[in-house]
Amino acid sequence: MSADPLGADPLGADPLRVDPLGPDALDDTSDGEVTDDGPEPEEMFASGPEVEVELRPQRRLRIWQLAPIVALAATGSLMFAFPLAFDFGDSGAVIAMLGLLICSCAAGWGMMAARRVGYTWPGLPQRGSGRRPDWRVVLAYVVVVAAVAVLAVWRVARLR
């Protein structure tokens, strides 16, 4: 075993003694100056301009969210349409109203799922934007929904 020229034995050094800066703390250049780590600003963008990429996935409705909504809407609309089309006697009005209720629940569930992922109705502001909805757009939506509900109830009531 040969001794170190400076008199320190590298194998006999204390293994618990750790240099706080470590072996790569300073990068010496040939003339003894210390350099900064990393490339120069000109070298960083040598491949072209900087491009920003969104790391979060897009928020959209998934198939597991859409499948029960579509199934409920189809079931409800069929329950609503068949008694109206084929006049099933006394129970037709009850089945039709139950179908209308199920179809309306599916529509509400679909609207809540769409709102959760950030979709809005046309003419209404985005959720969290701080803008107020235009009262004319809201009034138009209320009139359309009320007209559809009145026509549906009127048609079911005519079954009796």
Side-chain angles (χ1 to χ4, degrees), residues 53-110:
V53 178
E54 183 67 38
L55 296 178
R56 293 178 294 173
Q58 290 182 348
R59 297 184 72 178
R60 59 184 147 185
L61 290 174
R62 306 278 189 244
I63 189 69
W64 60 268
Q65 291 171 314
L66 288 176
I69 296 169
V70 170
L72 277 176
T75 303
S77 62
L78 287 176
M79 287 176 68
F80 180 66
F82 272 100
L84 298 179
F86 299 114
D87 195 21
F88 283 156
D90 291 342
S91 65
V94 174
I95 294 173
M97 287 305 287
L98 183 61
L100 181 64
L101 178 67
I102 291 173
C103 196
S104 299
C105 289
W109 191 3

Side-chain angles (χ1 to χ4, degrees), residues 12-26:
D14 184 12
L16 298 177
R17 183 175 173 268
V18 178
D19 187 13
L21 298 178
D24 296 329
L26 300 176

